[in-house]
Every structure is written in structure tokens, then in C-alpha cells.
């Protein structure tokens, strides 16, 4: 209830009256402030409620559009995929600009990681759409006389895609490709932390795609939570494990299936490499994967290196040389390392280095300024420090030394399952052991990040690093329900399928389930006596 100031009626005299008036004025001011505050809250609630009502109406219209069947048509799917291609081709300069504004990405990096890779995925979907959409005939055993069956892909319905800020264009469009190819209606909520990219998507997607079936809703956690309160047929989320839990809990309420593309700490094992060529290539690939993809703010970026103690001085020296070759004396001036997304994350990364023991482990760094952090190399920071417990998600690269490189297997097994595991080694038995004794979303030998570009490989995590997979056909599958369809003829039936039951029928069931056709024929012709059931 809102407490309102009432006019005071009455005659008072002298100082007492003035005191009384002062008191009343203060009371009045206080009430006025309370009233204003209450008005603001009420207004906020009304606006919020109205927004929810508008959102519900919008989603109801999208559901109706989906029910009309438009989005299922192959022609609609192709038109939307071509629209996405056109959007990427016609707005490249603008995409370079928004990625520069939000993350300081160089156009070459932007094209490699967000535009080119996405164009490749759209072309792959367009080339394969017909095959993906086709029903597949299912093989049935002979006992299923006069029956045919097929697996028919059908879209899930209205889906929600929530994306993250580190590859704000690529990670928004990549899941849309699968959702469109599979014939769904969809809402995309990009990350508010990359505001230029988010508003670019909100402006351009309606201009190139069918707004009845595909919408962009901008906003942060509040909007995200409002969206999660709605009923969806699928939620595809890219982001942190913490928010992933919120998404999964909200989805459980409506039994909505989820794909969670999460992160974690991706290790890179660097074995002793005898050839100097191999070592140089390995170091270039490690540094490229760590620092040239969004300055280490990448879910599949290398988080830390595992190396044998005797090998680390060589490795560190080579890293210093190669860092200079790739990024010059002052990496910031090279414009080849992206910047940290915002001050909060900049301070978070600085905080990881605040621990004196961690600070003491730095072997290479330069002064950080504003939201830019120089590539920093550390050797053996304490394993219980934050830098070794949390996902780093920035240009800090710890090197952990081990007595034997084989110890890396136990090191990785004792931690949450990573999204990706990298190993630079020529040792076949170590490679075999890594594949069979560790668990991760992907394993790459002698390189890093390249798995993201392979349309024929599933991309996704396991355990703490995520649920589900996408890219190429896997994206189509992630947004598709495979419906089992069977057709029977009215001509023939097996009389023994129906009661009343007897041992003869029991015997026929036994032969049928064992596909023992001779047994069936002999039992039908009464040439084989049924085994009595123990119950009768
Ligand atoms: P985040 O979880 O903070 O945000 C992701 C999205 O969720 C954003 O759109 C955000 O607005 C939204 N969101 C935030 N709070 C919400 C809430 N309460 N309800 C609903 N939506 C909410 O993650 P981030 O900071 O954008 O991304 C960094 C994390 O994402 C890292 O852990 C990284 O490893 C991971 N990541 C994973 C992949 C992958 O493909 N596996 C790709 C990129 C990033």
C-alpha cells in the first residue's frame, strides 16, 4: 500500500508550530519520495508486464506461422539460407566494423572466424539440404510381412537460440543455419555484451529473412529470463556453465530439449618433439590458437599447456621468439590481437594475476592498458590458484610442467571433461592412450581450433563442457525430430498375435523374435510341438 501525505488541519502557535511545520514538511517530503519510488516500481512492473504480454503475443503469432507449414517448405528453407548468405556478402564492411567496435578484431580474423566460416556452413547446408530432408527407408525383418517403414525428419517447432559475445556473429548465425535447414521458426537472442553486433543482427536479419518465422530479440539476462519463461520446442544455448544451468532448469519446466554449448579449460599437451621443424610448427599453432582467436576468449582456445619439465625452457624461448614474429614488439600496435570485451572481464583477468604466487610465475608479459591485455606466459602457477581452477578466457597462457608427458593423462582425467583436448606429439602410443583414456568434446593432434571448421565433425561438449552437438548435418539433427513411420497392409496378419493365449502361440512368438522362420513354419504346420510354459 502506498502511504500518502495528508493535509494537517489545526491552529498552532509560536516555535512549537514552526517545529511542527518542519516536521510535517519532512514527513511530507519523505512520503513524496516514497510515492515517487512506488510510482517508479509500479511503472516498471507495468512496463515489464506489458512487455511479457507483447512477447507472448509475438510468440503466439510465430507459432501460428509455424503451424501454417511455411517454414517446412524446402523453398522457404532455401530462401532463408540464401538470405543469410546475402546478408553476409553484402554487409561485410559493416560486420568488420561492428566486430572491431565490440572486440577490436582485425578484419582478417573476423573473416576467418565469423564470416568465412559461416558462409562455408551455409553453402554446405544448401548443398546437402535435399538429402537431409529426405525420409529414409527403414529395413524391417521378414517377419514383418507386408509392412514398410521409414524415418521421417520433422522440424521441432519454435526454437530459442541464445548466443555469447566472443564470436557474436558466427555463434549467432551458425545455430540458425541448422534451425532453418530443419524447418523451424526461431528467436535469436544475441549477447548484450557485444552491443554493436547485437544491434547489427537485430537490424539486418529482418531485412534479409522472413520476419514471420525468424526474429531477433535483444537484451541481457532480464530479457533472457523472460524468454526462458516461455514454452519452446528447443533451446539452443551458447555460454557459461552457470547460465547453462539456469537454461536447463527453465527448460525442465516445459520438458523442452536443450543443447548447451559451454566452455571450460581446454588443455594442450606438448610432447618433446625431436625435429626443430615440428617444434616450430607446434608453437606457431599453439600461439595462433591461444592469441589470434578473440585474444584467448574462445571456448575451444587453449587454456593451458602441459609439458615435460626438461622441455619447458626450450618451449618458453621459442614462444617468446614466435610471439615477436606474430605480433611484433608491441602486440597492441599490431592490431592482430583482439581486445578484452569489457572492463569487467579485463579486471577479472587482472585479478587472476593478483595472487603473488601466480605473479611470480610470469615469464613473459607487457603492461596492460584500458581493456587490452598483452599475451602473457606463466610457468607453473599454483594448481589451486584461480588461474588454474577457472576457465581463463583471455590471453594468459600457463605452462604446467610434469615429470613425464604420460602424467598429462591423469592430470586431465582428474579435472572436468574439457570441450577440446589438444596434443602435439609424434608418439603413437601416447595418442592411442589419449583417445582411449580421456574424455572430451573433441581431440585434435598436432593442431588446435581446426575441428570447428569441419562440417563432418560433431561440435559440442561432454559433462561440464556441454550437452548436444552441431555443425553440418549434426546441426540439422539437433533441430529435428526423427519420426518413426510404419505402413501395414490389411491383407495378411498373424492370428497368433491376438488372445486367447496358449502354448502354441507362445512357441510361435519365440520363433518370431529369434527370426527362426523354419521354426515358425514347423510350428504352424504342427510339425513341432510347443514347449509348455512353466506357468501353465
Ligand atoms: P553467459 O553465460 O554469461 O551469456 C551467454 C548468453 O546468455 C548471453 O546472451 C546472455 O545475455 C545470456 N544470459 C545471461 N544470463 C542469463 C540469464 N540469467 N537468463 C537467460 N539468459 C542469460 O556467457 P558469455 O559470457 O556470453 O560467454 C562466455 C562463456 O561461453 C564461456 O564459458 C565460454 O567458454 C562459453 N562459450 C562456449 C562456446 C561453445 O561453442 N561451446 C562458444 C562461445 C562461448
Amino acid at each position: 500500500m502506498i502511504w500518502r501525505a495528508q493535509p494537517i488541519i489545526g491552529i498552532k502557535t509560536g516555535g512549537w508550530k514552526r517545529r511542527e511545520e518542519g516536521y510535517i514538511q519532512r514527513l511530507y517530503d519523505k512520503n513524496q519520495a516514497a510515492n515517487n519510488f512506488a510510482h517508479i516500481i509500479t511503472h516498471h512492473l507495468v512496463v515489464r508486464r506489458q512487455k511479457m504480454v507483447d512477447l507472448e503475443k509475438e510468440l503466439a503469432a510465430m507459432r501460428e506461422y509455424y503451424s501454417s507449414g511455411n517454414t517446412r517448405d524446402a523453398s522457404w528453407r532455401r530462401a532463408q539460407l540464401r538470405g543469410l548468405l546475402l546478408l553476409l556478402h553484402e554487409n561485410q564492411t559493416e560486420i568488420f566494423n561492428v566486430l572491431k567496435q565490440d572486440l577490436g578484431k582485425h578484419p582478417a580474423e573476423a573473416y576467418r572466424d565469423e564470416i568465412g566460416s559461416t558462409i562455408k556452413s551455409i553453402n554446405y547446408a544448401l548443398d546437402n539440404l535435399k538429402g537431409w530432408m529426405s525420409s529414409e527407408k527403414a529395413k524391417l525383418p521378414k517377419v514383418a510381412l507386408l509392412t514398410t517403414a521409414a524415418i521421417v525428419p520433422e522440424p521441432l517447432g519454435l526454437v530459442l537460440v541464445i548466443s555469447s559475445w566472443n564470436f557474436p556473429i558466427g555463434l549467432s548465425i551458425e545455430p540458425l543455419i541448422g534451425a532453418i535447414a530443419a524447418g523451424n521458426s526461431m528467436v535469436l537472442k544475441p549477447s548484450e555484451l557485444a552491443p554493436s553486433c547485437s544491434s547489427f543482427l537485430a537490424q539486418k536479419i529482418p531485412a534479409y529473412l522472413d520476419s514471420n518465422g525468424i526474429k531477433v530479440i535483444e537484451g541481457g539476462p532480464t530479457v533472457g529470463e523472460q524468454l526462458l519463461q516461455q514454452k519452446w520446442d528447443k533451446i539452443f544455448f551458447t555460454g557459461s556453465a552457470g547460465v547453462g544451468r539456469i537454461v536447463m532448469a527453465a527448460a525442465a519446466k516445459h520438458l523442452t530439449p536443450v543443447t548447451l554449448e559451454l566452455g571450460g579449460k581446454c588443455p594442450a599437451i606438448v610432447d618433446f618433439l625431436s625435429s626443430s621443424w615440428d617444434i616450430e610448427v607446434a608453437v606457431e599453432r599453439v600461439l595462433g590458437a591461444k592469441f589470434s582467436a578473440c585474444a584467448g576468449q574462445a571456448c575451444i582456445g587453449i587454456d593451458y599447456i602441459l609439458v615435460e619439465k626438461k622441455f619447458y625452457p626450450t618451449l618458453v624461448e621459442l614462444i617468446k621468439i614466435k610471439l615477436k614474429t606474430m605480433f611484433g614488439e608491441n602486440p597492441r600496435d599490431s592490431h592482430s590481437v583482439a581486445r578484452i570485451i569489457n572492463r569487467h572481464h579485463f579486471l577479472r583477468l587482472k585479478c587472476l594475476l593478483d595472487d603473488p604466487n601466480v605473479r611470480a610465475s610470469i615469464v613473459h608479459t607487457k603492461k596492460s592498458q584500458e581493456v587490452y591485455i598483452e599475451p602473457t606466459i606463466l610457468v607453473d602457477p599454483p594448481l589451486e590458484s584461480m588461474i588454474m581452477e577457472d576457465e581463463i578466457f583471455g590471453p594468459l597462457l600457463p605452462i604446467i610442467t610434469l615429470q613425464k608427458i604420460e602424467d598429462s593423462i591423469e592430470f586431465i582425467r582428474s579435472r572436468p571433461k574439457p570441450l577440446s583436448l589438444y596434443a602435439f606429439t609424434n608418439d603413437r602410443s601416447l595418442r592411442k592412450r589419449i583417445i582411449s583414456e580421456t574424455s572430451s568434446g573433441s581431440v585434435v593432434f598436432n593442431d588446435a581450433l581446426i575441428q570447428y571448421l569441419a562440417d563432418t565433425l560433431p561440435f559440442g561438449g561432454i559433462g561440464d563442457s556441454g550437452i548436444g552437438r552441431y555443425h553440418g548435418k549434426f546441426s540439422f539433427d539437433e533441430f529435428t525430430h526423427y519420426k518413426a513411420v510404419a505402413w501395414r497392409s490389411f491383407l495378411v496378419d498373424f492370428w497368433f498375435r491376438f488372445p486367447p493365449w496358449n502354448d502354441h502361440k507362445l512357441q510361435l512368438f519365440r520363433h518370431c523374435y529369434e527370426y527362426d522362420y523354419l521354426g515358425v513354419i514347423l510350428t504352424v504346420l504342427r510339425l513341432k510341438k510347443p514347449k509348455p510354459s512353466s506357468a501353465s
Side-chain angles (χ1 to χ4, degrees):
M1 196 177 90
I2 301 166
W3 186 38
R4 296 189 184 282
Q6 298 295 324
I8 307 285
I9 303 165
I11 301 163
K12 297 276 183 302
T13 52
W16 187 86
K17 184 183 172 211
R18 276 196 300 280
R19 273 202 306 281
E20 171 97 332
E21 278 170 351
Y23 172 71
I24 289 167
Q25 187 60 48
R26 281 199 301 282
L27 212 57
Y28 182 78
D29 290 349
K30 208 166 141 193
N31 288 335
Q32 232 6 59
N35 280 345
N36 289 344
F37 183 64
H39 276 304
I40 290 167
I41 295 285
T42 314
H43 177 72
H44 181 71
L45 289 176
V46 168
V47 169
R48 215 173 142 164
R49 180 70 212 131
Q50 190 52 47
K51 276 191 182 161
M52 274 303 251
V53 172
D54 293 347
L55 175 64
E56 278 159 18
K57 273 193 203 150
E58 242 179 302
L59 297 187
M62 289 186 82
R63 272 196 184 282
E64 212 167 293
Y65 189 69
Y66 171 76
S67 300
S68 75
N70 282 331
T71 65
R72 289 171 178 245
D73 274 0
S75 58
W76 185 89
R77 305 185 199 196
R78 281 193 186 281
Q80 305 318 304
L81 291 173
R82 290 204 186 101
L84 276 180
L85 264 188
L86 210 57
L87 185 160
L88 292 168
H89 281 300
E90 289 186 348
N91 297 280
Q92 264 181 38
T93 314
E94 209 176 322
I95 300 176
F96 288 150
N97 287 340
V98 290
L99 284 168
K100 184 92 191 161
Q101 282 158 22
D102 286 340
L103 285 152
K105 288 191 186 183
H106 188 280
E109 185 185 331
Y111 192 86
R112 183 195 64 181
D113 295 350
E114 308 218 38
I115 305 173
S117 55
T118 316
I119 289 176
K120 168 202 65 68
S121 299
I122 300 169
N123 282 327
Y124 187 79
L126 278 166
D127 288 348
N128 290 285
L129 189 64
K130 196 166 172 224
W132 294 349
M133 285 179 68
S134 311
S135 303
E136 192 190 324
K137 202 168 169 209
K139 226 175 136 189
L140 293 176
K142 288 188 194 73
V143 72
L145 214 58
L146 294 184
T147 309
T148 48
I151 303 162
V152 178
E154 67 172 21
L156 294 176
L158 179 57
V159 306
L160 172 64
V161 173
I162 299 181
S163 60
S164 66
W165 51 260
N166 52 341
F167 297 89
I169 303 291
L171 292 179
S172 294
I173 296 183
E174 192 71 47
L176 287 196
I177 300 170
I180 290 170
N184 297 279
S185 264
M186 69 219 65
V187 169
L188 164 70
K189 195 207 81 61
S191 171
E192 76 289 4
L193 299 188
S196 304
C197 293
S198 173
S199 97
F200 169 83
L201 291 167
Q203 277 173 29
K204 297 295 177 184
I205 285 187
Y208 285 84
L209 307 186
D210 176 3
S211 315
N212 295 310
I214 304 167
K215 285 204 190 319
V216 179
I217 297 184
E218 287 191 276
T222 312
V223 170
E225 277 166 19
Q226 283 171 354
L227 288 168
L228 289 179
Q229 282 173 33
Q230 308 300 315
K231 181 173 165 40
W232 302 94
D233 298 304
K234 168 94 188 182
I235 302 176
F236 187 105
F237 170 80
T238 303
S240 61
V243 180
R245 285 188 184 91
I246 297 174
V247 169
M248 202 161 170
K253 202 172 147 209
H254 299 290
L255 290 178
T256 299
V258 292
T259 301
L260 302 179
E261 293 288 336
L262 312 177
K265 290 179 91 62
C266 302
I269 301 168
V270 182
D271 192 5
F272 173 75
L273 296 162
S274 50
S275 131
S276 60
W277 169 265
D278 289 0
I279 305 171
E280 281 200 31
V281 172
V283 169
E284 265 171 15
R285 291 178 182 176
V286 164
L287 298 184
K290 178 68 186 182
F291 302 111
S292 86
C294 202
Q297 301 165 106
C299 56
I300 49 167
I302 293 174
D303 191 280
Y304 62 92
I305 290 178
L306 295 169
V307 65
E308 276 188 8
K309 215 172 195 76
K310 59 176 188 283
F311 184 45
Y312 98 82
T314 318
L315 190 66
V316 170
E317 279 324 299
L318 202 55
I319 284 177
K320 287 182 187 171
I321 295 168
K322 289 282 173 194
L323 273 177
K324 216 179 270 178
T325 318
M326 279 188 191
F327 306 110
E329 278 296 340
N330 295 303
R332 187 187 180 147
D333 300 336
S334 72
H335 301 288
S336 295
V337 187
R339 70 166 172 78
I340 306 307
I341 182 73
N342 57 27
R343 204 165 155 70
H344 164 75
H345 280 279
F346 174 79
L347 294 174
R348 176 185 66 78
L349 288 162
K350 298 275 286 171
C351 187
L352 294 182
L353 303 174
D354 274 353
D355 177 340
N357 292 324
V358 172
R359 189 151 282 285
S361 70
I362 296 175
V363 292
H364 178 89
T365 192
K366 289 205 164 140
K367 200 170 178 304
S368 309
Q369 307 160 42
E370 292 159 42
V371 281
Y372 184 84
I373 292 188
E374 294 277 344
T376 301
I377 312 294
L378 307 93
V379 174
D380 282 334
L383 295 180
E384 62 287 356
S385 59
M386 268 194 324
I387 199 167
M388 283 313 296
E389 289 200 329
D390 294 351
E391 180 183 14
I392 297 174
F393 222 58
L396 317 177
L397 180 59
I399 297 172
I400 303 297
T401 64
L402 307 166
Q403 285 310 322
K404 294 195 305 310
I405 202 66
E406 287 75 14
D407 297 344
S408 56
I409 292 179
E410 193 40 46
F411 191 97
I412 292 164
R413 278 165 64 102
S414 63
R415 288 167 170 74
K417 294 177 181 177
L419 184 56
S420 293
L421 192 168
Y422 305 111
F424 295 80
T425 179
N426 288 321
D427 181 340
R428 287 178 69 175
S429 80
L430 180 64
R431 290 208 291 252
K432 262 191 178 166
R433 282 194 63 198
I434 290 170
I435 294 174
S436 65
E437 295 177 32
T438 66
S439 182
S440 57
S442 56
V443 179
V444 178
F445 293 108
N446 303 338
D447 209 335
L449 306 189
I450 48 139
Q451 75 276 27
Y452 183 84
L453 298 173
D455 294 306
T456 46
L457 286 177
F459 183 84
I462 175 167
D464 291 41
S465 55
I467 296 172
R469 64 222 175 121
Y470 75 134
H471 287 197
K473 169 78 161 43
F474 302 102
S475 293
F476 180 87
D477 293 346
E478 207 63 6
F479 290 101
T480 294
H481 165 60
Y482 283 96
K483 189 157 63 183
V485 179
W487 296 266
R488 293 230 53 211
S489 153
F490 285 113
L491 287 180
V492 184
D493 215 335
F494 294 119
W495 77 97
F496 57 85
R497 282 174 60 195
F498 308 106
W501 304 125
N502 55 38
D503 286 349
H504 184 68
K505 290 183 179 180
L506 172 63
Q507 181 73 5
L508 282 165
F509 283 137
R510 281 199 181 110
H511 290 312
C512 282
Y513 283 127
E514 285 166 16
Y515 304 139
D516 171 6
Y517 299 112
L518 183 63
V520 172
I521 293 166
L522 294 178
T523 310
V524 167
L525 297 174
R526 308 273 172 178
L527 296 174
K528 190 173 180 186
K529 280 209 163 155
K531 268 191 250 162
S533 65
S534 54
S536 58

